[in-house]
Every structure is written in structure tokens, then in C-alpha cells.
Amino acid sequence: YVQAAPAARLLRVLPRYPVAPWEWTNAVPSIVLPATAVLERGSEHVTRATYDSVYVSGQAQGILAHVKRTGTAGSRPAQMIVDQLITHADAARGRGLEVLGNTGAQQIVTLETGVLPASGVIHVGSLMDWERGAVSRRGLVRSLVVSATVPTGASKEPVKVRQTIGVEIHG
């Protein structure tokens, strides 16, 4: 996906999964939110086929790569991906990871929080932890909406800025 840099005239092209979902437990999250800072607004459960390998190929030129999930036999292949942009092993691996990462049981959780000094705006693509009671949860931010409430008239209430994020959880 393409993400604009917040403070520069710069576009970043980023991988859908900067870390494979099966490696999230060993990764360091970029954001950790306490239970008191998060309001869970809802969730959606999604079950997709479970693949552990995929062939990725360039169209007229390029390479052919067999991308498989580490530690598996690669015996449950997804449908082959043919893309004219697959001209290098890094591109093939990234495209394969996109297919293999988006498999199995998933949940999309909608969270609401303020724009906190410690975390700021939580960007799409961030691996994050948050607490729900005594349980810590981990997921990848997939969507972001920032809203502000401006007081009317002579009100002395401060401007309230909130962010609503959609977080992808696996398992």
C-alpha cells in the first residue's frame, strides 16, 4: 500500500505485512496501549482458507518463485499469482507473504482511543498491543479515522481529538 509521510512531501510504498502474522509473537510492537486508553467498538470474524505456499511469477519476463511459510511442508498451495511487476526475488517474496499472511481465522477489531502524547496518531501498518482486561492482544493496524469535536459558542471545553482504528488479529 502507499502511505503519505505526515510531515514531508513523501510517499512510502510499504508491504501489507511488514512482519508475517505467524511471527508476530516474536516481534516488538510499535505501539502499546493500556486498557484505560482503549474503547473496543466491535469486531468482525473472518475465516479464510489456510494456505502454506504459493507460486508467484512475472508475466512475460521476471522470475518464478515458490514462497512457502517457514516451518511447513508447503503442501496447501494457494492459486498461482502472475503479475508483471514480479521481476525480483524481493517482490516475489513480498507478494507471496501478502497471500499467505491473509489466510486462516482472523478478526478485525475496531478500537477508539485519543491521540495520546506517547503514541500520537497510530498509522496503518503499525503492529500494536493493547490490553483488554487482564489479556494483552496484538494486531496490525489496517484502517484509521481521526475526528475532532470543536466546542461551540462560548464553551470552555477543549477540542477533543479521537482516532478509530481497525486492527487485524490472527488466530
Side-chain angles (χ1 to χ4, degrees), residues 150-169:
V150 179
T152 58
S155 173
K156 301 222 186 238
E157 290 289 318
V159 173
K160 294 179 185 174
V161 182
R162 306 290 293 167
Q163 56 188 324
T164 303
I165 54 177
V167 183
E168 178 181 321
I169 301 171

Side-chain angles (χ1 to χ4, degrees), residues 42-120:
S43 65
E44 174 188 350
H45 293 271
V46 178
T47 303
R48 293 185 168 88
T50 305
Y51 302 119
D52 62 1
S53 71
V54 62
Y55 282 95
V56 180
S57 174
Q59 193 167 17
Q61 300 175 4
I63 65 165
L64 173 65
H66 184 219
V67 181
K68 83 175 187 167
R69 183 174 166 172
T70 307
T72 69
S75 58
R76 295 183 312 254
Q79 184 175 350
M80 183 177 184
I81 302 295
V82 178
D83 188 318
Q84 63 186 3
L85 297 177
I86 306 300
T87 59
H88 190 273
D90 292 343
R93 183 184 184 286
R95 185 67 171 94
L97 180 57
E98 179 184 352
V99 171
L100 300 179
N102 194 22
T103 64
Q106 299 177 27
Q107 186 178 8
I108 303 296
V109 179
T110 303
L111 303 174
E112 184 178 321
T113 186
V115 177
L116 307 173
S119 61

Side-chain angles (χ1 to χ4, degrees), residues 132-162:
R132 183 175 182 206
V135 177
S136 182
R137 303 185 79 186
R138 178 167 289 177
L140 191 66
V141 177
R142 286 288 173 224
S143 64
L144 166 69
V145 175
V146 178
S147 61
T149 304
V150 179
T152 58
S155 173
K156 301 222 186 238
E157 290 289 318
V159 173
K160 294 179 185 174
V161 182
R162 306 290 293 167

Side-chain angles (χ1 to χ4, degrees), residues 24 27-32 127-129 138-139:
W24 287 356
V28 177
S30 52
I31 307 291
V32 178
L127 186 63
M128 69 172 284
D129 283 358
R138 178 167 289 177

